[in-house]
Amino acid sequence: MANREALRDLQSRLAGRLQAARSEGVSVAAWLAVQAGEQDYLLPLNQAGEIFPWTGVQPVPYTQPWYLGIANLRGSLMGVVDLAQLLGQERSQNEQDLLDCSLLAFSPALEINTALLVDRLLGLRAAQAFVQTEAAPEHSPHFFGAVHIDATGRRWQELQLQRLSQTAKFLSIRA
């Protein structure tokens, strides 16, 4: 319990520092950029947690194909969700493919013991990295945020992890 409170205190101090930096005009990263399947996504830093290398996952029977199973990540048991499959991309990966993937835990503040499988980590992004922003695509899930376009024309879909974690689909892993 004390560790959880210390972590929340740290996150609170970091949020304060980020806000102070923004008010001083310093460019501050707002998102973690990832690739899942063939899509590029921006995940809000305040909703993202620790990043882990791929580790063995214990499958759970009678679950959705996108629910890969349970992993022990630093002593915490976490469900592992294939983000690309959850968002409707069809694919199959072998163990060799998975070695290049990462597991991104949700922020402890969200109190969700889940990690997302992402194919590639692409770094941090600030709002200044984008030249244009569009509204979320029509008929997209409510957890989709704006689409940000960088100077090369690459499109980045923002995903609100907190909203994603509260959807019926995410919460219904049973097949």
Side-chain angles (χ1 to χ4, degrees):
M1 189 67 147
N3 287 341
R4 188 174 277 179
E5 289 176 16
L7 183 59
R8 284 187 182 144
D9 183 51
L10 174 64
Q11 288 177 326
S12 177
R13 287 193 318 247
L14 287 174
R17 285 179 160 172
L18 286 172
Q19 186 60 38
R22 281 188 189 114
S23 65
E24 294 173 8
V26 175
S27 176
V28 176
W31 299 287
L32 175 63
V34 302
Q35 185 176 46
E38 300 298 320
Q39 300 293 318
D40 296 324
Y41 297 102
L42 297 173
L43 309 177
L45 279 178
N46 64 344
Q47 296 174 18
E50 191 171 355
I51 298 167
F52 301 92
W54 170 256
T55 186
V57 172
Q58 182 65 40
V60 176
Y62 309 113
T63 58
Q64 295 289 337
W66 47 262
Y67 190 81
L68 301 179
I70 304 289
N72 182 347
L73 303 174
R74 279 198 211 270
S76 295
L77 292 178
M78 292 194 185
V80 177
V81 171
D82 183 330
L83 181 60
Q85 281 190 5
L86 176 67
L87 297 177
Q89 297 180 43
E90 293 293 324
R91 68 183 186 156
S92 62
Q93 292 180 305
N94 61 39
E95 195 63 34
Q96 186 62 38
D97 295 334
L98 291 170
L99 291 176
D100 295 330
C101 295
S102 296
L103 299 175
L104 172 67
F106 282 75
S107 168
L110 299 179
E111 297 182 347
I112 301 162
N113 283 350
T114 302
L116 299 173
L117 174 76
V118 296
D119 295 310
R120 292 181 60 212
L121 298 170
L122 301 172
L124 300 175
R125 300 290 190 276
Q128 295 81 0
F130 303 100
V131 296
Q132 186 179 352
T133 300
E134 299 174 353
E138 195 172 327
H139 306 296
S140 62
H142 78 283
F143 54 84
F144 274 30
V147 174
H148 302 276
I149 304 167
D150 64 22
T152 67
R154 195 168 180 179
R155 301 174 68 81
W156 299 84
Q157 176 64 61
E158 184 178 349
L159 291 181
Q160 295 295 322
L161 296 178
Q162 183 172 16
R163 289 182 186 169
L164 170 67
S165 71
Q166 296 168 350
T167 63
K169 182 176 182 177
F170 185 86
L171 295 171
S172 301
I173 64 169
R174 186 178 67 209

